[in-house]
C-alpha cells in the first residue's frame, strides 16, 4: 500500500511539474532573442547517403514538374507521407532514411516522427537546404517528460527565408501570407497582432489548437544542418541553458548562438537560382 502511494505521489508530482512548465512558466517570462552577428553557421550539404536516396527512389522524377522550391517541398511532403500509415507510439529508432524506408518496404509501420528524418534527407538530396530542428521548452534539460518537439526548417530560395515544416502534422505556418520560421511564429505570438494561418492536410487540425500545442516549445531552437554533425542552439541571452540533458544525459548542442540574425542568416545571393520567380504558390488551403 505504501509503495502504491509513493508511485502515485511521484506520478502526480511529475504531471504537475510538466503541466506548470508547459502552461504557466513560458508566459511568466516571454524571452526574446538578440540581433547582431556571431560566427556563421555551416550550410547543409549533400552526402553520399542522400545521393543514394535520390537515385534509389527517383526523387528528381517526383519533383520534375515543380518550378519553385515551395512546389518541390510540397511534392516531397506528399511522397513522404504516403510511405506508410503512421502508428502511434511506434518509432524506428534510426536516423538513416534508407534504413527506415527499407524496413517500411518489409512491412514495418512507424510513427509520425520518422517522417521528419525521411523528408529532411529527401529535400537535401534534391538540393533544397534543410536542417533538423528540436524545439525545446526552457526547462527541457531537467524536465522528466515532453520537453522537446522535432521538425524541420527548410530554406526556400524564391522566398529567401527559412521555413518551419512540421512533417508530423504536415503543417506549414503563414503570417499575413508569408512563410514563417520557428522564430517567426514565436515573434508573432508575442506580438499578439498576428494573422497566423495553418496549412495542413491532416483533418481536424486547426490553427488555435496547433499553436497552443507548439507555443511552449519555442523558447530554445536547436538545429542540425543536414549533412553536418554539429548542432547549434539559439538561446535567449538572459537564459542559461545547459548543454547536457539531465546534467549527465546526452549533449543537446555543440555551440550556443544568441543572435537571431546569425541563426536565420539568408544564403548568399550567388547560391540562389536567379531564374526562379518569387513564389505565389501555396501548397494547400490555409485553415484559419
Amino acid at each position: 500500500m505504501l509503495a502504491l502511494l509513493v508511485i502515485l505521489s511521484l506520478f502526480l508530482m511529475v504531471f504537475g511539474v510538466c503541466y506548470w512548465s508547459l502552461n504557466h512558466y513560458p508566459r511568466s517570462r516571454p524571452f526574446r532573442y538578440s540581433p547582431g552577428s556571431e560566427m556563421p553557421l555551416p550550410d547543409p550539404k549533400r552526402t553520399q547517403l542522400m545521393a543514394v536516396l535520390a537515385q534509389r527512389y527517383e526523387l528528381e522524377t517526383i519533383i520534375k514538374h515543380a518550378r519553385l522550391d515551395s512546389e518541390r517541398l510540397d511534392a516531397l511532403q506528399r511522397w513522404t507521407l504516403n510511405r506508410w500509415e503512421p502508428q502511434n507510439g511506434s518509432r524506428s529508432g534510426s536516423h538513416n532514411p534508407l534504413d527506415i524506408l527499407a524496413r517500411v518496404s518489409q512491412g514495418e509501420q512507424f510513427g509520425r516522427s520518422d517522417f521528419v528524418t525521411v523528408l529532411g534527407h529527401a529535400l537535401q538530396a534534391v538540393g533544397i537546404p534543410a536542417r533538423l530542428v528540436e524545439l525545446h521548452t526552457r526547462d527541457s534539460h531537467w524536465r522528466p517528460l515532453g520537453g522537446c518537439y522535432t521538425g524541420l526548417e527548410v530554406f526556400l530560395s524564391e522566398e529567401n527565408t527559412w521555413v518551419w515544416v512540421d512533417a508530423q502534422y504536415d503543417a506549414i505556418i503563414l503570417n499575413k501570407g508569408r512563410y514563417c520560421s520557428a522564430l517567426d511564429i514565436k515573434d508573432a505570438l508575442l506580438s499578439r497582432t498576428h494573422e497566423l494561418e495553418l496549412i495542413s492536410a491532416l483533418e481536424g487540425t486547426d490553427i488555435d489548437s496547433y499553436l497552443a500545442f507548439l507555443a511552449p516549445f519555442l523558447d530554445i531552437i536547436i538545429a542540425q544542418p543536414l549533412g553536418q554533425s554539429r548542432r547549434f542552439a539559439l538561446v535567449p541571452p538572459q537564459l542559461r541553458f545547459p548543454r547536457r540533458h539531465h546534467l549527465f544525459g546526452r549533449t543537446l548542442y555543440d555551440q550556443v548562438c544568441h543572435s537571431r540574425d546569425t541563426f536565420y542568416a539568408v544564403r548568399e545571393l550567388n547560391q540562389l537560382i536567379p531564374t526562379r520567380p518569387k513564389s505565389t504558390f501555396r501548397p494547400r488551403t490555409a485553415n484559419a
Side-chain angles (χ1 to χ4, degrees):
M1 184 64 179
L2 180 60
L4 181 61
L5 288 174
V6 171
I7 293 173
L8 181 60
S9 299
L10 287 174
F11 173 80
L12 291 174
M13 182 177 67
V14 169
F15 176 82
V17 168
C18 291
Y19 182 84
W20 169 78
S21 61
L22 278 176
N23 293 277
H24 298 288
Y25 188 27
R27 300 175 189 175
S28 64
R29 297 184 67 189
F31 290 133
R32 296 180 185 271
Y33 299 87
S34 297
S37 298
E38 297 177 13
M39 183 179 295
L41 275 59
D43 283 331
K45 65 180 181 181
R46 195 170 189 257
T47 63
Q48 182 61 32
L49 181 149
M50 296 171 190
V52 173
L53 178 69
Q55 181 180 24
R56 183 174 299 176
Y57 293 94
E58 300 180 336
L59 299 184
E60 292 292 345
T61 302
I62 295 169
I63 62 171
K64 67 180 180 180
H65 297 300
R67 297 182 307 113
L68 308 174
D69 281 349
S70 50
E71 294 171 333
R72 296 178 181 90
L73 167 60
D74 188 58
L76 289 172
Q77 275 186 291
R78 305 278 66 73
W79 174 81
T80 301
L81 295 174
N82 288 329
R83 295 307 89 203
W84 67 86
E85 187 67 30
Q87 304 294 316
N88 290 335
S90 177
R91 295 185 177 183
S92 69
S94 174
H95 299 292
N96 184 325
L98 295 175
D99 172 60
I100 295 171
L101 292 171
R103 290 162 62 184
V104 166
S105 68
Q106 296 171 2
E108 290 190 59
Q109 301 290 303
F110 302 120
R112 296 185 178 280
S113 60
D114 288 298
F115 286 143
V116 178
T117 300
V118 175
L119 177 59
H121 284 82
L123 289 164
Q124 189 65 34
V126 300
I128 299 176
R131 55 192 189 187
L132 297 175
V133 170
E134 286 183 2
L135 303 179
H136 283 251
T137 62
R138 68 190 69 185
D139 57 356
S140 66
H141 57 285
W142 58 263
R143 278 193 64 183
L145 297 171
C148 71
Y149 183 70
T150 304
L152 294 166
E153 284 188 327
V154 179
F155 190 87
L156 300 183
S157 62
E158 70 270 16
E159 300 286 344
N160 204 31
T161 190
W162 288 96
V163 177
W164 166 251
V165 177
D166 189 337
Q168 299 191 52
Y169 278 86
D170 188 24
I172 295 173
I173 296 286
L174 305 178
N175 187 21
K176 300 179 182 178
R178 297 187 63 84
Y179 288 97
C180 292
S181 67
L183 186 55
D184 289 335
I185 300 170
K186 170 83 169 182
D187 288 342
L189 291 173
L190 290 176
S191 73
R192 301 183 181 276
T193 59
H194 61 79
E195 297 178 18
L196 293 174
E197 303 171 277
L198 174 66
I199 295 176
S200 176
L202 294 186
E203 294 183 5
T205 304
D206 64 273
I207 184 64
D208 292 330
S209 61
Y210 182 74
L211 291 176
F213 158 76
L214 190 68
F217 299 101
L218 292 171
D219 273 333
I220 312 295
I221 304 172
I222 298 177
Q224 179 180 345
L226 283 169
Q228 306 280 357
S229 60
R230 302 189 71 197
R231 294 157 57 89
F232 302 86
L234 179 61
V235 181
Q238 61 269 58
L239 177 64
R240 293 181 60 84
F241 191 69
R243 287 182 59 192
R244 291 192 174 275
H245 187 58
H246 290 154
L247 299 181
F248 301 103
R250 69 183 179 93
T251 300
L252 294 172
Y253 57 89
D254 299 296
Q255 181 177 322
V256 68
C257 177
H258 297 303
S259 169
R260 59 183 297 149
D261 296 338
T262 296
F263 199 82
Y264 282 102
V266 299
R267 297 167 66 79
E268 296 294 331
L269 292 178
N270 60 11
Q271 293 179 307
L272 305 181
I273 300 177
T275 57
R276 292 183 188 173
K278 183 174 176 60
S279 171
T280 57
F281 174 79
R282 292 296 177 256
R284 294 170 291 283
T285 303
N287 299 316

